[in-house]
Amino acid sequence: MTGPPLVGVDLDAALDRAVALAGRGPARDRNPRVGCLLLAPDGSIVAEGHHGGVGTPHAEATALAAAGPSARGTTAVVTLEPCSHHGRTPPCAEALVAAGVAQVVYAVADPTHAGGGAALLEAAGVGVREHRHTASERLVADWARAAALGRPHVTWKVASTLDGRVAAADGTSRWITSPQARAEAHRVRTQVAAVVVGTGTALADDPSLTARDHRDRLLPDQPLRVVVGHRDLPASSRLAGPDAGDATTTEGEVLHLRTHDPVQVLAALRERGVHSVLLEGGPTLAAAFWRAGLVDELLVHLAPALLGAGPGAVPDLGIGTIADAARLELVEVDRLGPDLQLRLRPIPPEELH
């Protein structure tokens, strides 16, 4: 789809601004973060808007309200294709047409049932252009992936020795991996919406699950910290929180979900606007998600060390014969100091034949 040329307008710069606006919206929300600019023919900004979360006006509606009659003849630059469906708010595509917007430039096509706004706009005589923009794609990547899955995307993270041990025979486990690998693990926590452990890990290790820098300072982006299981945690635990609710501490939110069902866990997290989950718990939690077919990716930090004994990194997955072995696709390999980081994708059985 193409529209008339925009003279003297830097679309990448405009979309950079729209992404910055979108960042004002909630980091965890059922809806994606979206930013919108309305540009005059000379490229100057007439109005701006961003989506503030479920139930609030969309970015386009916010910008149109700010512009009023000045919206007529403008170009709307939006990070995500305007929606075309009636939900809690009216369709943005219809609002843009009604306001007399001359052209719409969007960076990412809407992959959900709300898509189709571009076609609606074109049918109404509005010029439409799709302009690829990396930052806009990153902005909605987790949301789009979760929308396709119908649940949050799940990554199972493992840190182990070369022989697959996560601790020595005496139970000691600090530190299996290098400072570089641990720094990357903290960075990964800033890239997901929630980090999940079971009550067993919470009781045994009392982890904070926060994202910190090399000086042990909290990083700006913190995940929702989630404990799964029925057992109570002591009040002194760093992950102690009220039943079926969340607690906000100086280190971010904590949620205790009193269930052992991975499907219920992901449904509860999706309701809270979580689109990506990092499993950092022990073998019981990992096995439950794996057996339920709810692991989309593995992130393995492999240290060049041997223990020969001690707890294994991988739980009993119910595999009894080599023919049933879980096969993985090696997607990416990176070196983290002396360690390796392997990113892998489970290969569905139908892809093996």
Side-chain angles (χ1 to χ4, degrees):
M1 289 170 285
T2 61
L6 291 171
V7 179
V9 176
D10 185 338
L11 287 179
D12 287 324
L15 283 165
D16 286 342
R17 174 60 184 165
V19 167
L21 291 169
R24 297 176 182 176
R28 288 191 295 274
D29 192 78
R30 284 189 62 86
N31 288 348
R33 290 189 285 183
V34 181
C36 175
L37 303 181
L38 295 180
L39 303 181
D42 64 359
S44 61
I45 297 175
V46 174
E48 301 177 333
H50 71 277
H51 181 43
V54 167
T56 67
H58 289 187
E60 299 93 323
T62 303
L64 290 172
S70 300
R72 182 166 297 277
T74 60
T75 292
V77 179
V78 196
T79 55
L80 182 68
E81 177 187 3
C83 66
S84 65
H85 83 303
H86 287 266
R88 296 182 181 181
T89 58
C92 291
E94 290 184 3
L96 291 165
V97 172
V101 169
Q103 182 172 216
V104 174
V105 178
Y106 67 91
V108 181
D110 190 331
T112 71
H113 68 283
L120 189 155
L121 289 162
E122 284 193 317
V126 177
V128 178
R129 178 189 298 190
E130 183 175 1
H131 182 84
R132 296 290 297 274
H133 183 250
T134 300
S136 296
E137 292 170 355
R138 285 199 300 263
L139 183 69
V140 296
D142 281 352
W143 166 81
R145 192 164 51 176
L149 290 168
R151 58 167 175 80
H153 179 272
V154 177
T155 299
W156 173 15
K157 179 187 169 294
V158 177
S160 79
T161 59
L162 195 60
D163 56 340
R165 306 293 177 176
V166 295
D170 65 357
T172 56
S173 60
R174 294 190 176 184
W175 293 106
I176 284 177
T177 54
S178 64
Q180 295 93 326
R182 298 198 298 275
E184 175 62 12
H186 280 272
R187 190 196 68 81
V188 169
R189 287 179 180 174
T190 70
Q191 303 300 305
V192 297
V195 178
V196 180
V197 298
T199 51
T201 295
L203 290 166
D205 299 340
D206 192 24
S208 69
L209 302 184
T210 53
R212 296 177 180 270
D213 65 15
H214 66 286
R215 294 182 179 176
D216 203 37
R217 297 173 300 192
L218 288 171
L219 294 170
D221 297 319
Q222 293 293 322
L224 175 67
R225 297 173 292 158
V226 183
V227 182
V228 173
H230 294 291
R231 286 183 287 177
D232 292 327
L233 302 182
S236 59
S237 169
R238 288 187 281 186
L239 294 176
D243 288 356
D246 57 4
T248 301
T249 71
T250 56
E251 297 178 327
E253 291 181 278
V254 179
L255 174 66
H256 191 163
L257 296 174
R258 294 180 180 268
T259 179
H260 290 141
D261 184 350
V263 174
Q264 290 182 7
V265 170
L266 295 184
L269 293 179
R270 190 182 189 199
E271 281 298 314
R272 288 174 171 266
V274 168
H275 305 304
S276 55
V277 168
L278 184 67
L279 292 181
E280 287 200 19
T284 301
L285 181 73
F289 274 80
W290 183 274
R291 291 189 181 202
L294 296 175
V295 173
D296 304 297
E297 182 179 70
L298 276 78
L299 188 65
V300 180
H301 286 178
L302 198 59
L306 299 172
L307 284 173
V314 179
D316 180 1
L317 301 177
I319 298 170
T321 178
I322 192 65
D324 296 332
R327 301 293 179 177
L328 307 171
E329 175 190 357
L330 183 58
V331 176
E332 187 178 73
V333 181
D334 291 301
R335 185 162 182 169
L336 304 172
D339 304 326
L340 290 179
Q341 176 176 269
L342 311 179
R343 193 175 295 275
L344 307 110
R345 180 186 71 92
I347 302 176
E350 60 270 20
E351 294 185 17
L352 294 172
H353 305 292

